Amino acid sequence: MKQKKYNHGEVIFRQGETGNCMYSICRGRLAVYADYDTDNARKLAELKDGDFFGEMGLIENEPRSATVIAMTDDTVLDEISESSFLGYFEENPAKVFMMMKQLSQRLRKTTQDYLEVCHTIYDVSKQDEDLPIDPELNAKLLAIQNEYLMFNMSGLRFY
Amino acid sequence: MKNRCYHQGEVIFSQGDEAKTMFEIRHGRVGIYAAYQTSKEKQLASFGEGQTFGEMGLIEGCPRSATAVALEEGTEADEINAAEFADYFREQPVQVFLLLKQLSARLRETTKNYVEACHTVSETVETQEKGEKRSGWLKEKLRFFSDVYRGFIGSEEKR
């Protein structure tokens, strides 16, 4: 396991890169961006002390789905590779639990959001296609469409 | 860690129960059901020796989201609570790694579905705004996500 230091504005990893390690934040604040180097850059989340990120790289060996930047100077991260993973958690078993908790919280939130959209779709389906959509329902549709166009398939809750 | 033994058909835990433990199967098989013993009963999964279930209870302490039933006579499982988890991890680090893998795969899958549902809404709005008829593809998607919602409310019904 390596400890790595970053200053404000430094990139931890970029969207599209292959990565095979995850990170635990010892100190500092980070920002997660979709399409960071483009005009369409949008911040997806902020991370802080105690948060884990990048598990997808370690666990699934997929390309990074977002860019992570340090927001503060003297940001300190534990960089955990697959080979050091078991050793790292053997020394810190409570951290495995925390990591699973974070993953499962993200899963729960995403599932909730997903079901809400399905509910809206269900309400739309019940209405006659040829009639104008009920204004309250239409407002919900527009809000969802707006969200969709903004994040456009980028790494939303896992990176 | 408590070792538990079950008869065929015995309920291990019920949907809605308070939860603070997970289980590892030592012998036999366990079925996981939504809306168990109602007209909407649906088997979601089944697990065998060496597999775990009920992790969400341990990780989040949220009520059980499904019912677990012993499928064979003499099904045996170890029940593990949070205090015992660190020891469990030390004895079975690979098992925990698999758990993390499962969680992250589910997060990826749910996020994909969520994005697809939002995409469907976006297309619905566009079609409506252009005054066009909904395409076959769009109708299929609307039906699919409506069914997801209906399946969800179905399994939430009280017995």
Side-chain angles (χ1 to χ4, degrees):
Chain A
M1 181 213 68
K2 282 197 230 133
Q3 229 182 40
K4 299 191 84 160
K5 290 189 165 59
Y6 300 86
N7 285 320
H8 170 76
E10 286 185 276
V11 173
I12 289 87
F13 55 68
R14 280 201 151 77
Q15 191 169 336
E17 279 175 9
T18 43
N20 56 7
C21 54
M22 62 177 272
Y23 299 82
S24 169
I25 304 174
C26 300
R27 187 175 71 228
R29 268 178 34 245
L30 290 86
V32 184
Y33 280 89
D35 298 332
Y36 184 63
D37 295 311
T38 73
D39 291 334
N40 201 20
R42 40 209 191 281
K43 192 183 332 190
L44 302 175
E46 278 188 19
L47 305 169
K48 60 190 191 319
D49 301 30
D51 286 344
F52 288 90
F53 66 97
E55 314 85 17
M56 298 297 144
L58 177 78
I59 295 169
E60 302 199 359
N61 231 299
E62 295 272 338
R64 302 296 191 188
S65 50
T67 301
V68 178
I69 321 277
M71 280 173 30
T72 51
D73 286 339
D74 299 318
T75 290
V76 179
L77 309 178
D78 284 338
E79 184 184 88
I80 306 148
S81 67
E82 188 163 352
S83 56
S84 58
F85 178 83
L86 293 179
Y88 177 77
F89 286 113
E90 261 166 27
E91 290 170 40
N92 306 279
K95 291 205 177 186
V96 182
F97 201 74
M98 259 176 62
M99 189 180 140
M100 294 204 308
K101 220 178 157 86
Q102 281 178 31
L103 267 178
S104 92
Q105 270 163 9
R106 274 157 32 195
L107 177 57
R108 186 169 295 277
K109 178 81 174 51
T110 306
T111 305
Q112 257 167 25
D113 292 345
Y114 173 45
L115 286 172
E116 264 171 47
V117 175
C118 289
H119 187 179
T120 302
I121 289 175
Y122 171 73
D123 288 341
V124 167
S125 301
K126 283 193 301 187
Q127 295 191 356
D128 189 326
E129 183 184 343
D130 297 319
L131 296 176
I133 296 178
D134 168 75
E136 212 181 290
L137 182 55
N138 203 45
K140 285 198 184 138
L141 294 176
L142 290 174
I144 294 167
Q145 184 197 36
N146 193 44
E147 269 275 303
Y148 173 73
L149 294 174
M150 267 186 53
F151 66 70
N152 199 23
M153 301 273 193
S154 298
L156 187 60
R157 289 213 180 84
F158 56 87
Y159 24 77
Chain B
M1 217 159 357
K2 290 204 179 73
N3 184 264
R4 300 212 181 274
C5 207
Y6 303 94
H7 295 298
Q8 184 176 36
E10 199 174 333
V11 170
I12 297 163
F13 56 71
S14 292
Q15 197 167 334
D17 283 353
E18 231 191 59
K20 295 203 186 305
T21 59
M22 65 179 262
F23 295 80
E24 185 179 330
I25 302 171
R26 288 260 155 266
H27 182 77
R29 284 203 79 75
V30 173
I32 308 291
Y33 294 87
Y36 186 62
Q37 290 187 332
T38 70
S39 57
K40 297 205 158 54
E41 176 180 301
K42 191 173 166 211
Q43 187 178 49
L44 303 174
S46 79
F47 299 113
E49 207 171 295
Q51 291 186 293
T52 58
F53 64 95
E55 311 84 13
M56 299 307 265
L58 178 72
I59 294 168
E60 291 198 70
C62 287
R64 300 290 187 190
S65 56
T67 301
V69 182
L71 298 177
E72 289 173 12
E73 186 60 30
T75 291
E76 259 180 64
D78 284 336
E79 191 175 2
I80 301 148
N81 64 32
E84 293 156 343
F85 184 78
D87 289 329
Y88 175 69
F89 175 66
R90 249 179 241 115
E91 289 167 38
Q92 313 264 22
V94 172
Q95 193 75 284
V96 174
F97 193 71
L98 286 177
L99 238 172
L100 284 170
K101 250 185 134 90
Q102 262 176 53
L103 267 175
S104 91
R106 281 172 60 192
L107 180 54
R108 178 178 297 279
E109 186 66 25
T110 306
T111 303
K112 209 176 81 179
N113 290 334
Y114 172 49
V115 170
E116 185 68 1
C118 292
H119 182 199
T120 301
V121 167
S122 187
E123 286 294 311
T124 304
V125 170
E126 264 189 53
T127 304
Q128 193 86 7
E129 282 173 356
K130 289 185 193 159
E132 289 173 356
K133 279 246 157 245
R134 289 174 188 164
S135 69
W137 172 89
L138 185 56
K139 285 192 172 141
E140 199 195 299
K141 289 286 172 191
L142 289 168
R143 222 182 350 253
F144 177 80
F145 291 113
S146 289
D147 284 347
V148 167
Y149 178 68
R150 281 172 48 218
F152 169 69
I153 47 175
S155 70
E156 293 279 295
E157 267 171 23
K158 307 268 179 255
R159 272 166 251 164

